[in-house]
Amino acid sequence: LVDSSKRMIFGTICHARFEGFNKEVLGIVDKVVDSTIELYNTIASDLLPTPEKSHYTFNLRDLSKVFQGVLQSTPQKVSKADQLLRLWVHECRRVFGDRLINNADRKW
């Protein structure tokens, strides 16, 4: 799946979900989508599986898990852009960071 298709799919879903949110939050939805896709692409290309790290196989399911976590937010809990960004960082660390097995990879 090419990046433009990922942007279209996840961007449409995010815009529909965040429709009732504060304008400040709505203003960063596209940046969150683009950043998530960029992060996924970087991780998938740089952190390749090895015999020691066979679980470093990242796929679209991982990308969708980040969005799934972010989309569980509510307008009452996420009323500012920085709150959405903190949630996004948390979800990225949960989905991608929890798989990393050593400090070198965690610092990467």
Side-chain angles (χ1 to χ4, degrees):
L1 202 58
V2 294
D3 287 352
S4 60
S5 297
K6 294 174 197 165
R7 279 188 188 88
M8 177 68 79
I9 292 166
F10 292 112
T12 302
I13 293 168
C14 288
H15 276 284
R17 174 65 181 104
F18 288 110
E19 196 171 284
F21 283 66
N22 182 319
K23 289 186 182 200
E24 181 183 350
V25 173
L26 282 172
I28 65 165
V29 168
D30 287 330
K31 292 176 185 171
V32 168
V33 171
D34 290 343
S35 297
T36 307
I37 293 168
E38 184 178 337
L39 178 64
Y40 164 77
N41 287 339
T42 303
I43 287 173
S45 65
D46 290 359
L47 296 177
L48 299 172
T50 64
E52 178 183 81
K53 304 172 186 176
S54 60
H55 59 285
Y56 279 24
T57 305
F58 299 97
N59 57 41
L60 283 177
R61 180 180 289 166
D62 301 307
L63 182 62
S64 68
K65 285 180 184 178
V66 172
F67 288 110
Q68 184 179 18
V70 170
L71 293 173
Q72 290 184 26
S73 62
T74 64
Q76 295 78 22
K77 299 281 184 181
V78 177
S79 59
K80 296 180 180 179
D82 67 318
Q83 292 172 321
L84 179 60
L85 291 176
R86 283 197 308 264
L87 175 61
W88 176 76
V89 168
H90 168 79
E91 291 302 324
C92 289
R93 286 184 163 197
R94 181 183 65 81
V95 172
F96 299 119
D98 284 355
R99 280 206 205 162
L100 307 179
I101 63 170
N102 59 38
N103 286 334
D105 288 347
R106 286 186 200 103
K107 289 179 182 179
W108 169 90

